[in-house]
């Protein structure tokens, strides 16, 4: 569970503190992959740096860090370890969503400014409503990233329609809810045996007749339309940023940090390795090497500019309260998808990866192949 609340470091200087942790995070990266989870030492270091405070409300000791700061901090983590950054972005994002829950739920969740909140976005679990407004939740949900170090989990569940579908009464789509559940109420399936982001600890969680009170449930539909359940945060522009657009901002840092790191390591290596089946004893002697490295650098710069553009747009809209036009929302999503590092298979050959590399490994417990994509 999260440690007791402390004064902690100041919000200013967060990115510099995270950057200073890169040697430690990089040193633990092989063990992170081997153990299929971010090591406790790295989790403690990120906690002490204030990473998990970025979206926690200030009244609980959080930072409510600018979105630009969040993107920069997550990018610095990713430059050292993609798994650690992916876990961080999930828990940072879920802390933001937790701050949209009713105030009574927030009082339960944010007992410490460094509380860690995980979550799953695929609505595989189901919820049955009870007369008192609470729900009974059952089901298995995959990709519970960072569950080992989480205090709470935001489980996406579907509530099936009460009426049965008939020829005269077509089926209604199930309502979607986020249910805030203590990790102690969930079981864990040790099924994260993959090759991509292997250290993110994205195992499945299982809910068995878990009772979730009404105040710890958040309806997804109204939230996506801009209505939040928290009365305290309702008028705070920070929590008025659209969740879907925030995910557009939280996801590129992982690719940007990894791309920067890959380019740096590649340009260092070209002075020590030759090119097979050529007369070049060193890669840096070949003109094509520099052309490809330059192309990669330009693609990374393009991605950084696109990210900076829509992050600035989201922050500007939050500050002024100006609503988005449909075209602006579409543009932000398009710019996020157009980030070159997110378009696997389209970079220069020197840094190219398959467009959708399979994340597959063999489970030692079952002997079968497991394929997953976080």
């Amino acid at each position: 569970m999260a440690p007791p609340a402390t004064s902690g470091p100041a919000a200013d200087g967060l990115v510099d503190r995270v950057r200073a942790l890169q040697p430690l995070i990089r040193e633990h990266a092989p063990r992170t992959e081997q153990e299929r989870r971010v090591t406790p030492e790295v989790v403690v270091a990120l906690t002490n740096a204030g990473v998990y405070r970025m979206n926690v409300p200030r009244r609980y000791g959080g930072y409510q860090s600018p979105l630009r700061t969040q993107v920069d901090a997550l990018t610095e983590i990713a430059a050292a370890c993609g798994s650690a950054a992916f876990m961080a972005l999930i828990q940072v994002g879920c802390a933001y969503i937790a701050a949209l829950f009713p105030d009574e739920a927030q009082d339960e969740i944010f007992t410490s400014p460094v509380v860690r909140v995980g979550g799953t976005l695929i609505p595989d679990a189901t919820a049955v409503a009870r007369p008192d407004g609470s729900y009974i939740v059952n089901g298995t949900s995959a990709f519970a990233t960072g569950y080992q170090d989480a205090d709470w989990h935001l489980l996406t569940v579907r509530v099936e329609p009460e009426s049965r579908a008939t020829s005269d009464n077509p089926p209604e789509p199930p309502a979607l809810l986020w249910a805030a559940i203590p990790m102690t109420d969930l079981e864990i399936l040790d099924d994260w045996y993959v090759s991509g982001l292997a250290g993110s600890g994205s195992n499945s969680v299982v809910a068995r007749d878990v009772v979730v009170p009404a105040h710890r449930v958040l309806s997804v539909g109204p939230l996506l339309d801009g209505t939040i359940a928290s009365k305290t945060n309702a008028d705070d522009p920070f929590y008025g940023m659209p969740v879907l657009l925030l995910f557009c901002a939280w996801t590129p840092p992982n690719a940007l940090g990894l791309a920067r790191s890959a380019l740096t390591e590649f340009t260092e290596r070209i002075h020590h390795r030759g090119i097979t089946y050529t007369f070049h004893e060193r890669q840096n002697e070949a003109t094509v090497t520099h052309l490809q490295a330059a192309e990669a650098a330009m693609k990374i710069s393009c991605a950084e500019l696109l990210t900076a553009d829509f992050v600035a747009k989201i922050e500007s809209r939050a500050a002024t309260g100006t609503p988005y036009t449909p075209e602006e929302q579409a543009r932000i999503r398009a710019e996020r998808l157009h980030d070159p590092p997110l378009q696997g298979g389209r970079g220069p050959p020197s840094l190219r990866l398959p467009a959708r590399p399979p994340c597959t490994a063999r489970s030692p417990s079952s002997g079968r192949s497991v394929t997953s994509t976080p």
Side-chain angles (χ1 to χ4, degrees), residues 129-155:
R130 303 205 304 177
D132 62 355
S134 64
Y135 291 84
I136 298 180
V137 176
N138 283 279
T140 300
S141 297
F143 310 128
T145 300
Y147 74 91
Q148 301 96 333
D149 301 292
D151 306 290
W152 289 80
H153 191 84
L154 303 186
L155 194 67

Side-chain angles (χ1 to χ4, degrees), residues 79-138:
C81 177
S83 291
F86 189 77
M87 185 194 77
L89 80 86
I90 292 297
Q91 295 186 341
V92 166
C94 287
Y96 185 94
I97 296 172
L100 308 180
F101 273 70
D103 297 338
E104 185 180 354
Q106 293 183 57
D107 289 340
E108 292 182 39
I109 295 171
F110 296 118
T111 56
S112 163
V114 293
V115 69
R116 292 184 287 269
V117 184
T120 44
L121 299 178
I122 302 175
D124 288 332
T126 59
V128 176
R130 303 205 304 177
D132 62 355
S134 64
Y135 291 84
I136 298 180
V137 176
N138 283 279

